[in-house]
Amino acid sequence: MRHLLSAADLDRDEVTAILDQAEEMSQVQSRPVKKLPALRGRTVVNLFFEDSTRTRSSFELAGKWLSADVINVSAKGSSVSKGESLRDTVQTIAAMGVDALVIRHHASGAPLQTTQWIDAHVVNAGDGTHEHPTQSLLDAFTMRRHFRSLGDDSFVGKRVLIVGDITHSRVARSNVLLLQTLGAEVTLVAPPTLLPSGVGSWPVSVNTDFDAALPTADVVMMLRVQKERMSGGYFPTPREYTVGYGLTRDRLATMPEHAVICHPGPMNRGLEISADAADGAASRILDQVAAGVAVRMSVLYQLLGGDEDK
Amino acid sequence: MDPTDHGVDPGTPGHEGRVVLNEAEISRAVTRMAHQILEADHDAALVLLGIPTRGVPLAHRLATAMEQADGRTVPVGALDITLYRDDLREQPTRPVGRTVLPTGIDGATVILVDDVLYSGRTIRAALDALGDLGRPRAVRLAVLVDRGHRELPIRADHVGKNLPTSSTETVRVRLAETDDVTEVRISKGDHA
Amino acid sequence: MSNQTSNERNGVDHTLITGVRLADGTRADLYLAGGLLADPAGATDDAVRVDGDGLLALPGLVDLHTHLRQPGREDAETVATGTEAAARGGYTAVFAMANTNPVTDTAEAAEHLVDIAAREAHAQVQPIGAVSKGLHGEELAELGLMARSRAAVKVFSDDGKCVDDARLMRRALEYVRAFDGVVAQHAQDPRLAGPDACCHEGEVSGRLGLPGWPSVAESSVVARDVQLARHTRSRLHVCHVSSAETVEVLRWAKGLGVQVTAEVTPHHLLLTTDELTGYDPTYKVNPPLRPAEDVHAVREALADGTIDIVATDHAPHARHDKEHAFGEAAFGMLGLETALAVVIETMVNNELIDWSRLVSAMSTLPARIGGLTRQGGGLTVGAPANVVLVDPTRRRTVARDDSRSLSRNNPYHGRDLPDPVVSTWWQGRRTYSA
């Protein structure tokens, strides 16, 4: 595997291997010596054009716990305003001799474009509204642990609801692709204005009625909705959004007993998710956060641990 | 793929070469090693850690033998050394195996268990892995077969069978827990 | 390739092209003398002879929509390099859009461009004047002064931006009637197609996570503008039609007798939004590449005359303006050198139009709409000697570095296309030879 740009880059066996490996590597988190030597001597640069404390620290820890040398470069304030093209920015970093670039960018497609200009491995840490493949992997990791606790860790036939601003969500796109690969059945729930154009051709069901879709869900993944979307006319007020599409206390009661709640964070408590839902027994939100480092260790090891040319 | 590469042919069932240890002989060797371990470290808190793949069932066999010999229950686990290998970069990324520590190892006498001792690099990796997991009081090595050709200053404390080999030969250990038969077979040709 | 023959260097520009086929299928000889087409029977012995056997002779092509980038971005293109590229594409005249820096919104700016062209151009350069001051879309620019200037501006456009204020559009249409001007609209509703929108809004953009804009942002503006044109009894020209919806509006408007003309770019005749899957900013353009249904609709419209002409919207960009993330890269593609090739490939070779229709779409009508009297007059004796010699069978694999333009944002790189232009003569002077 040379790059991880999209959740669609992985087939079912590859996903399983990454998740299994992440299980093994997650043990490091509880050891006194949080170190594995596998990536010793490798250099990883987190090149973030967009702020993200959580994802960046997650990748940073993942690299460091694998003994790689990790540096963070903040390229915020678009290169356009500095007069430097994206190509020049990434080639300058890569010219220092890095093995992998972990790129987060506010524009869709930037990591893919980068692979045309440099030799290093590229990991997409979130590009615009396009994809966030490691997020979908840690979501799958969290879901799989839950399914195992119920005695059946297969995704086949499991019903996953993804609720919220699908149009602008890279987490949604990656999850749709990854869950399809794993055989789950995905339903997207959103008001019509927040469903992406062409969603009819996606391998998903679509429902604008949250209450109708909820009673058969195995997993409910709530997406953050940005209040700024109101100014684009996507929905009239936050309270109308919450009544229609929020995981309120009432809706929590209609969820199946065994179902769990996920959220990629950061949460707008009270808007798309109530405190009861976020903090209740069904919530796996903190597990998702904990899973992030182990999954990213597994991804970095998968890309950099061996030599794919041999 | 078997992550422990001793020059042992990983998976193709073949019947080339000759059997140097049959099932009964393996069983006797395990029993003898169990007695030796108990005698050498009779006062210590023992932990058996098998190195995947076949070191793990061997470690379980040793534990059973030690229970039968002494009534002692020794905790058994697995220590995967993939991430500590010194040749990671020379191959495509290797999958990571399971590490299971049945108990803490600080202050314990850890018995590393593997099927074949060859270059010694696997054991070197295992020692590094142990170092990141804690501080054992002592580390011993028990192997079913020592085939010589050490590349590092490593030696086994307990050996089932010393088997001088040439580096062009292949030694293959099979155990019923993981393979279709229990035997140690040596054959000509480099299957590694 | 020398652009001058020995007797041109001596000040004599006599060229006899023998045995060519014309667009109507007849065979002819063409005699270029003194900048005009003259009777071949009077050809002098020292005239340069060009064997046109097997070749087509067309009137020099006229591009109603080009971006020359001078003044302001001479690193991307100049009048000299842009018109060299034009000559290579068989063009003898280009209309230069006003969105330079500074904007061409005064008589002085328009005359400045004319003066540069007089010194350096390889084709006739006709400045287009801005509709609004600074292209801000608020106040009318000095349309009348520009029309009266040495630049004789007839076409006005804020292209790059849409004149979305209905009242301003109405005033502009009314005002230019006094001197038979025409307002050329870049139809893109800025609210439906906001500043982030970088492609067609549809299945591909939804999948790729790119913010796009739907065709209705174009057709709704055209629908308004044709009604304003009807109300003001003025001439309207619609730039770069990209969608089936806009074609429907044009058909309706023309049926009512509205004085509206429309253009389509070569890239909208060939390329679809599927080109975006690699996020290559070479394919980022406004209006965007649309799905196949729209490509078919604009082809049909060009064939039946609903869309009158082809115009390149040649938009050179320096590499550092394109080598950005897709959403941040500049909009636009090169077009002058490949326009004829693409039109031959998509329209002539597909038997949607014949050569006569091609001539009207790429020479006669653009000149007429833009008010150029010395272009697009056909290949009759007495007409200015603007001729392009074409080999419709020759083909090549397009190489982006093989270009007279300063820029390299060529969307056809690596594609197999016709390579039709053999030679171009502007006012009897050969400006290109293959």
Side-chain angles (χ1 to χ4, degrees):
Chain A
M1 213 170 92
R2 177 132 197 99
H3 307 296
L4 181 59
L5 302 171
S6 157
D9 292 344
L10 306 167
D11 62 32
R12 193 180 291 199
D13 288 340
E14 286 167 323
V15 176
T16 306
I18 288 177
L19 297 184
D20 287 344
Q21 228 154 241
E23 287 284 359
E24 282 310 304
M25 290 173 165
S26 67
Q27 296 178 36
V28 166
Q29 274 163 306
S30 47
R31 289 193 193 152
V33 178
K34 295 177 182 45
K35 224 35 153 180
L36 295 169
L39 296 189
R40 191 167 149 268
R42 296 292 210 197
T43 303
V44 177
V45 173
N46 288 330
L47 183 55
F48 275 49
F49 291 83
E50 206 183 49
D51 268 337
S52 160
T53 318
R54 184 193 310 213
T55 304
R56 208 191 62 197
S57 343
S58 186
F59 271 106
E60 189 176 347
L61 277 180
K64 287 182 166 162
W65 285 357
L66 288 172
S67 302
D69 290 314
V70 180
I71 62 165
N72 297 315
V73 175
S74 170
K76 200 164 57 94
S78 82
S79 52
V80 175
S81 64
K82 286 182 285 188
E84 190 182 46
S85 69
L86 176 65
R87 179 179 185 164
D88 285 338
T89 304
V90 300
Q91 284 186 327
T92 304
I93 303 282
M96 295 193 281
V98 308
D99 297 294
L101 275 188
V102 175
I103 300 183
R104 167 166 285 198
H105 201 288
H106 45 266
S108 301
L112 170 60
Q113 289 173 271
T114 299
T115 61
Q116 294 155 7
W117 298 319
I118 62 173
D119 286 333
H121 300 266
V122 175
V123 178
N124 180 2
D127 65 327
T129 57
H130 177 228
E131 287 222 41
H132 194 357
T134 59
Q135 176 74 38
S136 66
L137 284 166
L138 70 88
D139 290 339
F141 180 89
T142 305
M143 287 185 234
R144 192 174 77 159
R145 276 194 168 174
H146 167 65
F147 297 153
R148 277 186 177 166
S149 74
L150 298 177
D152 162 30
D153 72 357
S154 165
F155 281 78
V156 176
K158 297 290 198 305
R159 293 183 140 118
V160 179
L161 294 192
I162 304 180
V163 184
D165 184 355
I166 313 287
T167 297
H168 301 98
S169 172
R170 52 190 172 214
V171 171
R173 281 177 179 78
S174 285
N175 265 290
V176 165
L177 292 168
L178 197 75
L179 289 168
Q180 184 200 11
T181 300
L182 293 170
E185 288 172 21
V186 176
T187 300
L188 302 179
V189 176
T193 48
L194 291 176
L195 288 170
S197 53
V199 72
S201 67
W202 293 21
V204 301
S205 305
V206 174
N207 204 330
T208 51
D209 184 341
F210 193 3
D211 297 299
L214 195 46
T216 53
D218 296 301
V219 177
V220 180
M221 182 179 303
M222 302 306 297
L223 298 177
R224 172 186 164 75
V225 64
Q226 291 169 264
K227 297 192 188 97
E228 303 84 75
R229 298 294 170 214
M230 280 196 308
S231 64
Y234 292 96
F235 58 88
T237 57
R239 82 170 173 172
E240 179 158 329
Y241 182 85
T242 303
V243 167
Y245 298 92
L247 189 51
T248 58
R249 185 192 299 184
D250 291 341
R251 288 207 169 97
L252 198 55
T254 67
M255 259 176 57
E257 283 273 338
H258 68 277
V260 291
I261 299 167
C262 293
H263 191 304
M267 293 184 276
N268 285 314
R269 284 165 177 272
L271 177 49
E272 75 266 1
I273 188 164
S274 60
D276 287 10
D279 302 327
S283 166
R284 293 292 179 273
I285 297 173
L286 288 178
D287 298 282
Q288 287 173 279
V289 178
V293 179
V295 166
R296 289 173 175 127
M297 285 172 73
S298 181
V299 168
L300 286 176
Y301 172 68
Q302 197 68 20
L303 288 182
L304 296 173
D307 183 340
E308 69 282 346
D309 294 330
K310 299 257 163 87
Chain B
M1 188 185 134
D2 185 342
T4 55
D5 186 338
H6 311 290
V8 171
D9 180 35
T12 48
H15 300 286
E16 318 86 12
R18 59 190 171 86
V19 174
V20 293
L21 281 179
N22 62 26
E23 180 159 7
E25 289 165 323
I26 289 173
S27 196
R28 279 199 292 279
V30 167
T31 305
R32 179 171 42 78
M33 284 198 291
H35 278 98
Q36 285 177 358
I37 293 168
L38 288 169
E39 198 180 308
D41 287 291
H42 53 89
D43 286 341
L46 295 173
V47 179
L48 287 158
L49 289 183
I51 297 175
T53 307
R54 291 174 184 82
V56 178
L58 262 177
H60 282 279
R61 287 181 181 224
L62 275 171
T64 305
M66 285 161 84
E67 173 111 36
Q68 283 166 357
D70 216 27
R72 255 181 96 162
T73 306
V74 177
V76 186
L79 179 66
D80 179 76
I81 54 94
T82 307
L83 297 173
Y84 290 84
R85 294 180 65 108
D86 62 7
D87 65 348
L88 272 185
R89 304 288 158 77
E90 292 168 21
Q91 314 238 3
T93 308
R94 294 168 170 275
V96 174
R98 304 209 59 205
T99 292
V100 179
L101 293 189
T103 168
I105 60 168
D106 290 335
T109 295
V110 171
I111 318 285
L112 290 175
V113 183
D114 206 0
D115 52 346
V116 179
L117 178 57
Y118 190 18
S119 66
R121 293 180 186 276
T122 298
I123 305 305
R124 196 263 337 139
L127 289 172
D128 283 350
L130 276 179
D132 283 346
L133 291 172
R135 192 180 185 284
R137 187 175 80 82
V139 181
R140 312 278 182 232
L141 175 61
V143 297
L144 185 60
V145 173
D146 179 344
R147 65 170 288 191
H149 298 282
R150 216 75 71 236
E151 291 170 8
L152 297 173
I154 303 268
R155 61 141 181 73
D157 298 281
H158 309 286
V159 180
K161 182 168 180 68
N162 279 297
L163 194 62
T165 59
S166 97
S167 51
T168 61
E169 290 172 308
T170 300
V171 174
R172 201 157 67 230
V173 172
R174 305 225 283 266
L175 301 172
E177 294 92 319
T178 49
D179 310 283
D180 53 354
V181 70
T182 297
E183 67 180 20
V184 179
R185 186 180 282 271
I186 183 171
S187 55
K188 295 278 183 229
D190 177 19
H191 301 284
Chain C
M1 246 57 65
S2 162
N3 280 337
Q4 290 180 299
T5 59
S6 60
N7 61 0
E8 284 169 18
R9 281 196 290 276
N10 293 341
V12 178
D13 60 338
H14 296 197
T15 308
L16 178 68
I17 310 170
T18 57
V20 287
R21 227 174 356 110
L22 302 179
D24 62 6
T26 59
R27 294 198 108 215
D29 295 341
L30 298 174
Y31 181 48
L32 287 63
L36 300 175
L37 289 171
D39 185 349
T44 59
D45 292 334
D46 64 351
V48 175
R49 269 147 176 79
V50 174
D51 179 9
D53 186 39
L55 303 178
L56 259 143
L58 305 178
L61 306 182
V62 175
D63 189 16
L64 196 55
H65 190 148
T66 296
H67 294 274
L68 289 182
R69 305 301 188 211
Q70 187 175 10
R73 287 304 304 270
E74 289 85 351
D75 59 321
E77 196 80 288
T78 62
V79 168
T81 60
T83 55
E84 266 197 78
R88 184 166 182 214
Y91 284 89
T92 52
V94 298
F95 285 72
M97 277 293 175
N99 61 340
T100 45
N101 182 15
V103 171
T104 311
D105 59 359
T106 62
E108 290 75 14
E111 286 178 354
H112 178 62
L113 193 55
V114 165
D115 293 337
I116 296 173
R119 291 192 309 269
E120 302 177 21
H122 300 266
Q124 181 174 356
V125 176
Q126 172 56 51
I128 292 178
V131 172
S132 66
K133 288 180 182 150
L135 305 179
H136 296 309
E138 287 160 10
E139 297 178 335
L140 286 182
E142 292 179 320
L143 311 179
L145 288 180
M146 285 192 271
R148 287 167 192 263
S149 73
R150 283 186 291 113
V153 178
K154 279 271 179 68
V155 180
F156 299 89
S157 180
D158 277 0
D159 180 70
K161 299 168 76 173
C162 175
V163 179
D164 68 295
D165 182 325
R167 185 171 58 178
L168 184 69
M169 187 64 176
R170 174 202 177 164
R171 296 293 176 228
L173 285 166
E174 287 175 330
Y175 200 83
V176 301
R177 220 172 58 228
F179 39 81
D180 194 31
V182 61
V183 177
Q185 173 72 292
H186 170 122
Q188 179 179 344
D189 183 313
R191 300 278 292 168
L192 290 177
D196 288 342
C198 62
C199 63
H200 174 72
E201 183 190 279
E203 197 265 319
V204 171
S205 74
R207 226 177 347 106
L208 297 182
L210 288 174
W213 59 272
S215 301
V216 67
E218 176 182 280
S219 61
S220 60
V221 171
V222 178
R224 179 202 73 179
D225 285 351
V226 296
Q227 295 189 75
L228 287 174
R230 176 163 66 157
H231 178 76
T232 59
R233 290 171 288 117
S234 295
R235 292 203 291 142
L236 169 71
H237 179 75
V238 180
C239 295
H240 42 52
V241 173
S242 69
S243 70
E245 288 90 332
T246 302
V247 168
E248 285 170 11
V249 172
L250 289 170
R251 279 212 180 94
W252 169 73
K254 288 188 170 188
L256 295 174
V258 175
Q259 293 183 81
V260 58
T261 54
E263 72 191 32
V264 64
T265 66
H267 47 269
H268 285 106
L269 291 172
L270 180 61
L271 305 174
T272 69
T273 186
D274 290 335
E275 303 288 346
L276 265 52
T277 47
Y279 295 94
D280 184 350
T282 308
Y283 298 103
K284 181 175 179 180
V285 65
N286 236 355
L289 301 177
R290 305 259 186 215
E293 311 87 80
D294 295 290
V295 171
H296 291 303
V298 297
R299 284 185 189 179
E300 276 177 22
L302 181 64
D304 73 19
T306 305
I307 293 178
D308 306 79
I309 66 169
V310 172
T312 67
D313 195 6
H314 177 84
H317 283 294
R319 267 188 9 169
H320 58 265
D321 287 327
K322 276 290 198 182
E323 284 173 346
H324 287 279
F326 192 93
E328 298 178 323
F331 288 92
M333 308 174 166
L334 297 179
L336 283 168
E337 288 166 301
T338 46
L340 183 59
V342 174
V343 175
I344 290 173
E345 184 81 327
T346 57
M347 302 296 293
V348 176
N349 290 351
N350 281 345
E351 295 180 4
L352 290 170
I353 62 172
D354 58 14
W355 288 101
S356 295
R357 175 67 185 114
L358 185 146
V359 165
S360 80
M362 296 186 78
S363 182
T364 325
L365 292 179
R368 187 181 305 167
I369 294 169
L372 288 186
T373 52
R374 299 190 54 74
Q375 298 274 351
L379 297 177
T380 52
V381 169
N386 299 318
V387 183
V388 54
L389 211 55
V390 167
D391 179 352
T393 62
R394 200 173 57 172
R395 297 184 75 86
R396 65 166 174 150
T397 303
V398 177
R400 71 168 77 90
D401 286 329
D402 178 19
S403 171
R404 300 293 195 271
S405 167
L406 284 181
S407 294
R408 294 289 174 266
N409 49 321
N410 184 335
Y412 310 109
H413 177 76
R415 204 179 273 259
D416 176 63
L417 282 179
D419 184 16
V421 180
V422 176
S423 290
T424 308
W425 285 266
W426 172 42
Q427 292 176 166
R429 179 165 71 90
R430 188 157 66 179
T431 51
Y432 173 72
S433 189

